[in-house]
């Protein structure tokens, strides 16, 4: 299986002083769903934003290491160029435009590719196929949709960029268990039907266990364990990380 993303020993600081991530390495095989696990403050969001090159927008800096996407370093690239190469992040907290309709939100995701009207229509059709709830609400202002629908919309908008690798930051946060499962089912479907790959930062270990193949466990800014998610769950490694105990 070929390697889609290869993060090599990165170190990230904010404001030139706050060390947020150190010695984080991880690989994403083509078509994998990879979990990034760890307690609050462990460095999950920072790792994702370092990969998507969005961390510089928060006065963060990747001090050392490298990030290879499809065999090429993307370190220091413009985040929108990274998106054009097929790597997109859905930020934590359902970033949507509340005063635009659901469909207008989706369209904003498609613009980067300068699509023709027909291509854009096709792209919307694809999103509505995977997210029938969004089809029902296409003319509703996004601010009036439910939390689950807003998360689906944020994911749908990212999918409009025609990605190969999608980074999801805590997609289940604040959502009812049933809706969270629905979102992970969609992720599984997108992988099965289109071969998309995912990195999912997640605090819900039951969801991670059920839906992800590989897991990286972050603790105190470093990767403390990695491997098959099921195995790490069965030997207690994942649970211990969330209790804040040492995994070693
Ligand atoms: N924008 C920021 N500026 C300064 N420090 C930050 C910023 N974002 C995160 N941090 C710090 O970096 C560390 C890792 O945070 P984060 O990556 O958000 O972890 P997680 O997503 O696992 O909760 C924490 O100590 C946090 O306080
Ligand atoms: Mg986070």
């Amino acid at each position: 299986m070929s390697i889609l993303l290869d993060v090599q020993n990165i170190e990230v600081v904010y404001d030139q002083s706050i060390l947020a991530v150190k010695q984080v390495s991880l690989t994403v095989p083509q078509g994998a769903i990879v979990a990034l696990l760890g307690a609050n403050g462990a460095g999950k969001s920072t790792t994702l934003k370092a990969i998507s090159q969005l961390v510089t927008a928060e006065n963060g800096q990747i001090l050392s290491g490298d990030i290879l996407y499809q065999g090429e370093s993307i370190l220091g690239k413009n985040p929108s160029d990274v998106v054009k190469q097929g790597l997109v992040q859905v930020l934590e907290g359902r970033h949507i435009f509340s005063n635009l309709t659901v469909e207008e939100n989706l369209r904003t995701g498609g613009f980067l590719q300068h699509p023709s009207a027909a291509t854009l229509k096709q792209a919307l059709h694809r999103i509505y196929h995977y997210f029938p709830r969004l089809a029902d609400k296409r003319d509703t202002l996004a601010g009036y949709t439910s939390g689950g629908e807003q998360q689906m919309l944020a994911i749908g908008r990212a999918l409009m960029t025609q990605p190969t690798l999608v980074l999801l930051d805590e997609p289940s946060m604040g959502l009812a268990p049933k809706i969270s499962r629905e979102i992970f089912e969609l992720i599984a479907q997108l992988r099965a039907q289109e071969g998309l790959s995912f990195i999912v930062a997640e605090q819900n270990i039951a969801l991670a266990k059920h839906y992800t193949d590989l897991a990286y466990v972050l603790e105190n800014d470093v990767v403390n364990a990695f491997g098959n998610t099921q195995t790490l769950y069965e030997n207690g490694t994942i649970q211990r990380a969330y209790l804040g105990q040492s995994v070693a």
Side-chain angles (χ1 to χ4, degrees), residues 102-103 105-107 109-110 120-135 138 152-163 186 189-190 194 196:
V102 163
E103 182 151 315
N105 267 275
L106 290 173
R107 285 173 181 272
L120 193 58
K121 199 175 158 195
Q122 242 176 20
L124 284 168
H125 188 79
R126 167 173 169 253
I127 303 303
Y128 292 145
H129 161 76
Y130 285 105
F131 300 89
R133 280 167 181 270
L134 296 184
R138 69 179 81 190
M152 289 174 192
L153 181 55
I155 296 171
R157 201 178 57 186
L159 293 173
M160 288 291 285
T161 68
Q162 314 287 355
L186 285 161
Q189 246 182 46
L190 284 159
E194 303 199 14
L196 294 190

Side-chain angles (χ1 to χ4, degrees), residues 7 46 99 142 157 171 213 243-244:
V7 176
T46 301
N99 49 4
R157 201 178 57 186
D213 314 307
L243 290 172

